[in-house]
Amino acid sequence: MDFATKAIHVGQDADPATGATIVPIYQTTTYTQAAPGEHRGFDYSRSINPTRLALERCLASLENAAYGLCFASGMAATAATLNLLAAGDHVVVGDDLYGGTFRLFDKVLTRYGLRFTYVDAADPQAVAAALTEATKLVWLETPTNPLMKLSDIAAVAAVCKPRGVRLAVDNTFATPFLQNPLDLGADLVVHSTTKYIGGHSDALGGFVATNDEGLYQTIKFHQNSVGGVPGPFDCFLTLRGVKTLALRMREHERNARAVAAFLEGRADVERVYYPGLPSHPQHELAKRQMRGFGGMLSFVPSGGAGRAQAIASATRIFSLAESLGGVESLICHPASMTHASIPKEVREARGVSDALLRLSVGIESATDLITDLEHALS
Ligand code: P1T
């Protein structure tokens, strides 16, 4: 089955109780048992819920995964993945990443005895050089948030495998429509479904997929033990969103290409970060590893932080807001918004300056989006 068909059908058979064509919102915490321990596979909704199960099956199929688990947010999914580790374990992390993920690693999980080393994961040799006897996991975003850097997933997997190190890829920016990390050798793929998968900025969610039954069982155990699960209504909204993921991603990309070309052509823009531009240092890797370039881009206008902030406040169609991946276009100033939890000196050393702006290019008319940016830039 192809992607668009799986998105609409996998896990979504007609409801066995009623024939309802669309998976119902099973808004129940518990299930009546015929006799103690005698039930139809459903006992308590933290452990299992039919609406969540439908979403888990659908998303797993989109990542070509045998197993998938849904969480209340992307951060809950990330935390559940890190639950695979124990005190003393070491993690190598791609150094450009969502500020909230850095905060979880740096401010929360270090208190539980995990240790993190940040490297430029665009270079697989930098990942290899950072591995120690204690390294159990490599964590990557590709493309990264917000600098749109890529990692060669197969090359990093080849570094990890012989050392028995697991590779987890946060695939939120690419989505399974454009990239399937498990097919390239990753052990785990993680998503914030809040973004493109949900697609309408109305439901938080997270997802983890794997082909390894042992990893699945351990994460499932933690999903139930810790309890960071999504409610049935959010699962329903996300499942409704995912049905149009293929359509939306094509439009996001069409618009992002137009916006990137427009920005690159401006004399008052210093730099544009979009993997679809031939000027992107990893454009060739993007063409090889991804099935498209997606809808996210960042840029640095000339004029420094002051002008960047003025531009962010001047757009009319692009809303100044955190998050990404919805049908509506958003503009964000990472230094003061999504990446404010990274200390300024660390952030700047990694290239996230106060003059950087990030765009989540929506599916409005490209002409209107470019007119809006033209107005804001001038
Ligand atoms: O917000 P939540 O659903 O918990 O997802 C966290 C998360 C995980 N991974 C990546 C790559 C992300 O970008 C995010 C969340 N990011 C934003 C809210 C943002 O505006 O960048």
Side-chain angles (χ1 to χ4, degrees):
M1 235 188 263
D2 287 339
F3 187 95
T5 312
K6 290 197 279 190
I8 293 170
H9 292 290
V10 173
Q12 302 167 76
D13 291 343
D15 180 48
T18 62
T21 304
I22 297 303
V23 174
I25 305 166
Y26 277 94
Q27 196 72 38
T28 185
T29 56
T30 193
Y31 308 84
T32 300
Q33 307 195 1
E38 198 183 303
H39 55 72
R40 302 183 209 177
F42 297 91
D43 52 358
Y44 187 61
S45 275
R46 171 162 34 73
S47 314
I48 186 166
N49 173 279
T51 317
R52 188 173 95 213
L53 193 59
L55 179 62
E56 289 175 339
R57 287 180 173 158
C58 179
L59 295 183
S61 80
L62 298 183
E63 281 293 8
N64 301 326
Y67 310 103
L69 293 161
C70 285
F71 292 88
S73 67
M75 291 319 308
T78 301
T81 305
L82 273 287
N83 279 156
L84 289 166
L85 306 185
D89 288 347
H90 175 243
V91 186
V92 175
V93 185
D95 65 4
D96 189 45
L97 76 171
Y98 171 53
T101 306
F102 176 79
R103 179 175 54 201
L104 172 70
F105 292 175
D106 191 56
K107 297 280 188 302
V108 180
L109 296 177
T110 50
R111 290 195 286 108
Y112 292 83
L114 297 186
R115 289 174 298 118
F116 298 87
T117 300
Y118 297 86
V119 300
D120 178 2
D123 174 11
Q125 286 321 308
V127 175
L131 299 178
T132 71
E133 287 300 306
T135 309
K136 294 281 162 36
L137 183 73
V138 169
W139 180 276
L140 301 179
E141 290 179 9
T142 179
T144 61
N145 180 0
L147 291 175
M148 307 302 299
K149 291 204 298 192
L150 269 66
S151 287
D152 185 330
I153 298 171
V156 175
V159 162
C160 293
K161 282 256 145 64
R163 306 280 295 263
V165 175
R166 302 293 195 175
L167 173 60
V169 175
D170 181 333
N171 202 28
T172 299
F173 269 37
T175 82
F177 183 66
L178 298 181
Q179 173 174 280
N180 295 115
L182 301 181
D183 292 348
L184 301 169
D187 299 288
L188 295 145
V189 58
V190 178
H191 284 279
S192 167
T193 64
T194 314
K195 311 299 184 315
Y196 287 105
I197 287 178
H200 297 75
S201 304
D202 55 10
L204 287 167
F207 177 67
V208 182
T210 182
N211 281 317
D212 183 309
E213 200 198 340
L215 295 179
Y216 165 70
Q217 291 298 352
T218 307
I219 298 175
K220 187 172 167 54
F221 175 79
H222 283 96
Q223 181 196 45
N224 187 44
S225 302
V226 178
V229 293
F233 185 54
D234 281 356
C235 291
F236 169 85
L237 287 174
T238 305
L239 197 54
R240 183 164 73 163
V242 81
K243 288 175 196 281
T244 55
L245 181 60
L247 279 176
R248 285 185 284 109
M249 289 311 292
R250 284 194 278 266
E251 287 298 298
H252 281 294
E253 172 160 342
R254 207 156 63 100
N255 283 354
R257 280 174 182 253
V259 168
F262 160 75
L263 290 171
E264 195 167 53
R266 293 277 304 202
D268 59 353
V269 170
E270 279 175 11
R271 188 151 177 201
V272 183
Y273 302 84
Y274 182 62
L277 288 173
S279 61
H280 189 283
Q282 295 158 300
H283 180 60
E284 291 307 314
L285 173 60
K287 283 202 286 192
R288 194 168 76 237
Q289 176 163 276
M290 303 171 69
R291 292 181 288 268
F293 308 109
M296 295 300 297
L297 62 92
S298 294
F299 70 103
V300 178
S302 56
R307 179 153 180 265
Q309 294 200 346
I311 292 167
S313 309
T315 53
R316 292 171 186 159
I317 297 176
F318 282 86
S319 300
L320 177 59
E322 304 209 10
S323 204
L324 57 111
V327 291
E328 68 291 322
S329 293
L330 304 180
I331 187 165
C332 160
H333 180 245
S336 64
M337 297 167 67
T338 50
H339 292 69
S341 52
I342 305 178
K344 188 174 164 71
E345 62 284 2
V346 176
R347 187 165 40 73
E348 287 189 338
R350 293 176 185 173
V352 182
S353 79
D354 287 355
L356 184 80
L357 293 172
R358 190 188 76 183
L359 300 179
S360 172
V361 181
I363 64 170
E364 304 94 334
S365 139
T367 311
D368 289 339
L369 295 179
I370 288 169
T371 305
D372 190 33
L373 289 171
E374 211 157 28
H375 158 261
L377 284 163
S378 48

